[in-house]
Amino acid sequence: MPITTISEKLSVSPQPSIEDIQSLHDKGFKTLINNRPDDEDPSQPGTQAESQEAKHRGLSYAFIPVTAGTITEADIRAFQRVVDESEGPAFAHCKTGTRSLNLYLIGEVLDGRLSADEVVEFGRSRGFDTSAAASWLEKKAARRPQVEGVFDKRTWSVQYVVSDPATRKCAIIDPVLDFDERAGATATINADAILDYVRDNGLTVEWILDTHPHADHFSAAQYLKEKTGAQTAIGERVVDVQKLWKGFYNWPELATDGSQWNRLFAHGETFKVGSIDAKVLFSPGHTLASITYVIGDAAFVHDTLFMPDSGTARADFPGGDARVLWKSIQEILALPDDTRIFTGHDYQPDGRAPRWESTVADQKKFNPHLAGVTEGEFVALRTKRDKTLPMPKLILHALQVNIRGGRLPEPEANGRRYLKFPLDALKGAAWE
Ligand SMILES: N[C@@H](CCC(=O)N[C@@H](CS)C(=O)NCC(=O)O)C(=O)O
Ligand SMILES: [Fe+2]
């Protein structure tokens, strides 16, 4: 049994026999890791026999079976955890040792201790063909969209251009159409800056995505659709928000079938941004229709989680619900720990510069609304805080535009557009 020492904590080897396993303890190993699925060939001992023998010899045992083409990040993290937690050197094997070494190498690159270019040579110099680890890392890099955040300081909103480096196709998420409520003036400063970025980077816009009908700014989806011809989309439950606000605005003529968008996404639906896979999670609680877009390794969570130093979104708008928001957040936090989380607002606590990117791991560890907090505590703190928050200053302006996909009201006979406000419709809202 040729054993190759990889590090102080890890050696790899081809399939050991039961007698070989008996000798591991004397060789100073503390843990046996089996990376080989059972039944690959009839002569292998299999996990039950290996585990029994390991325990008999006082070794810890871990079964993390993988095949070359189906290694997941969870496998890599599980492998790392076992090696880390081993009280001394760990001994890992598959059929030849290559898969075990690949798991190690991918983990080293993901954690920045090794560069992806060094993976093949690392294996070759030790007698292994580790090209499968290199291609795993290449594929992962291709799944990683480039994300450009554009901060709108008037509404503390973050708009995104998410692009696929391979095809140069992109999606725009939650674009803002500028509005000054004092002058009743609209402008396309933010949307035009986004279009400049798209042009300067040679991108083609495939999608204009909204995470929910925003209550604090107009959506620039319609304007950008006219400029780019891209498809607009939002969560399918937007129809419930339309029905709710149709009543508030007393607009019998409003179509409440979501026909104002090109596509309505349901929970679990998938689509592509260029060659990158994207998936939709239904994330209600802040609104009835909120969704999260998971594009490659990046999740656009908009008003669920804010930055870890800022907590979470409010849940007191019509159709909001703190308990439902908690559930949606738990689903987001169940994504892999290194998923990049991009929030939709940053209210710049203590005047710090705006920030919008975190990770699932950061959120779990540092977000004061989540770390060590139970569902009951979350609901209590969210409800208490929401009682103190006045309505966003543009809620009544924004929803009449956003439930129509970012379309301004039609002009009247004089060519001018007018907004309409229900008085005393939002009961119980805090006054500033
Ligand atoms: N002062 C802002 C408030 C905006 C607001 O209510 N933002 C929502 C997201 S649309 C939120 O969750 N705020 C959380 C908080 O302020 O704690 C405005 O008037 O626009
Ligand atoms: Fe919002």
Side-chain angles (χ1 to χ4, degrees):
M1 171 186 57
I3 301 176
T4 308
T5 304
I6 302 299
S7 72
E8 253 177 46
K9 278 304 275 296
L10 178 68
S11 293
V12 301
S13 150
Q15 175 70 58
S17 65
I18 289 296
E19 294 71 45
D20 291 332
I21 294 175
Q22 288 165 2
S23 70
L24 291 178
H25 182 263
D26 295 341
K27 293 191 163 79
F29 290 106
K30 299 289 183 200
T31 302
L32 171 62
I33 306 174
N34 176 6
N35 294 126
R36 200 172 181 199
D38 277 351
D39 305 323
E40 277 190 345
D41 84 56
S43 66
Q44 75 187 88
T47 186
Q48 213 177 343
E50 288 196 23
S51 128
Q52 212 172 347
E53 197 52 45
K55 282 181 190 143
H56 186 58
R57 304 281 157 182
L59 296 177
S60 303
Y61 177 77
F63 184 41
I64 308 170
V66 295
T67 58
T70 59
I71 291 177
T72 65
E73 201 157 331
D75 295 327
I76 292 148
R77 298 303 179 196
F79 185 85
Q80 283 184 320
R81 218 167 19 249
V82 173
V83 175
D84 277 357
E85 287 169 7
S86 174
E87 276 166 19
F91 172 100
H93 81 84
C94 49
K95 179 167 190 258
T96 63
T98 306
R99 276 171 275 177
S100 303
L101 181 54
N102 282 340
L103 289 168
Y104 166 80
L105 288 172
I106 295 171
E108 290 299 288
V109 174
L110 292 181
D111 292 347
R113 289 184 288 272
L114 191 73
S115 117
D117 305 340
E118 295 170 291
V119 161
V120 170
E121 179 51 28
F122 189 104
R124 202 200 52 74
S125 62
R126 289 161 180 82
F128 292 90
D129 173 5
T130 48
S131 53
S135 55
W136 191 97
L137 288 159
E138 252 168 53
K139 277 204 202 110
K140 171 156 171 98
R143 287 196 306 268
R144 192 177 159 90
Q146 183 161 346
V147 179
E148 176 75 7
V150 180
F151 186 67
D152 172 40
K153 59 181 188 312
R154 296 171 64 93
T155 60
W156 300 276
S157 301
V158 196
Q159 316 155 83
Y160 293 101
V161 182
V162 186
S163 54
D164 170 19
T167 60
R168 310 225 56 79
K169 301 227 167 105
C170 72
I172 296 171
I173 303 185
D174 288 325
V176 172
L177 186 77
D178 310 290
F179 178 61
D180 176 355
E181 75 281 13
R182 287 158 302 195
T186 63
T188 56
I189 303 159
N190 272 293
D192 290 336
I194 288 174
L195 290 174
D196 287 347
Y197 174 84
V198 165
R199 191 199 50 234
D200 294 349
N201 289 277
L203 302 176
T204 305
V205 183
E206 267 191 312
W207 291 103
I208 302 158
L209 306 173
D210 269 300
T211 49
H212 65 294
H214 306 280
D216 57 343
H217 63 82
F218 293 170
S219 164
Q222 192 54 29
Y223 172 75
L224 288 170
K225 180 182 167 61
E226 282 157 20
K227 289 283 175 189
T228 64
Q231 304 274 296
T232 58
I234 198 163
E236 64 170 0
R237 298 287 299 276
V238 75
V239 298
D240 297 332
V241 181
Q242 289 180 314
K243 284 175 194 133
L244 183 69
W245 286 87
K246 177 178 181 157
F248 282 125
Y249 289 118
N250 189 27
W251 267 354
E253 70 285 6
L254 177 74
T256 56
D257 56 0
S259 53
Q260 297 85 345
W261 290 267
N262 295 113
R263 183 145 170 201
L264 299 182
F265 284 121
H267 178 73
E269 259 194 87
T270 58
F271 66 105
K272 291 222 177 227
V273 176
S275 60
I276 301 177
D277 290 326
K279 184 175 171 175
V280 170
L281 303 179
F282 181 41
S283 305
H286 173 63
T287 73
L288 286 170
S290 298
I291 56 176
T292 294
Y293 295 102
V294 184
I295 305 178
D297 72 333
F300 297 86
V301 302
H302 210 275
D303 299 352
T304 49
L305 300 163
F306 294 139
M307 287 301 286
D309 62 358
S310 306
T312 54
R314 65 196 290 179
D316 62 328
F317 295 161
D321 185 318
R323 202 168 289 281
V324 172
L325 178 62
W326 170 263
K327 202 166 150 272
S328 297
I329 289 173
Q330 297 314 307
E331 231 183 301
I332 293 167
L333 297 181
L335 292 168
D337 268 359
D338 60 354
T339 305
R340 291 180 288 164
I341 298 283
F342 292 94
T343 185
H345 288 295
D346 184 56
Y347 294 107
Q348 302 184 255
D350 301 324
R352 69 139 168 71
R355 296 180 57 208
W356 45 82
E357 178 177 347
S358 61
T359 62
V360 164
D362 291 342
Q363 291 285 354
K364 289 200 282 210
K365 224 189 279 171
F366 302 119
N367 192 314
H369 290 189
L370 306 171
V373 173
T374 63
E375 176 176 349
E377 287 163 349
F378 173 81
V379 172
L381 79 83
R382 197 58 268 171
T383 311
K384 184 163 172 238
R385 176 165 162 78
D386 288 351
K387 282 207 175 81
T388 69
L389 299 175
M391 282 290 137
K393 64 178 190 279
L394 297 183
I395 186 168
L396 296 174
H397 308 65
L399 274 152
Q400 59 193 291
V401 170
N402 294 340
I403 55 173
R404 299 175 66 240
R407 288 172 183 81
L408 296 172
E410 292 306 316
E412 296 191 359
N414 61 357
R416 224 171 262 310
R417 302 174 196 271
Y418 294 83
L419 294 172
K420 177 177 183 184
F421 302 107
L423 298 185
D424 298 321
L426 300 180
K427 299 279 181 230
W431 286 59
E432 199 146 46

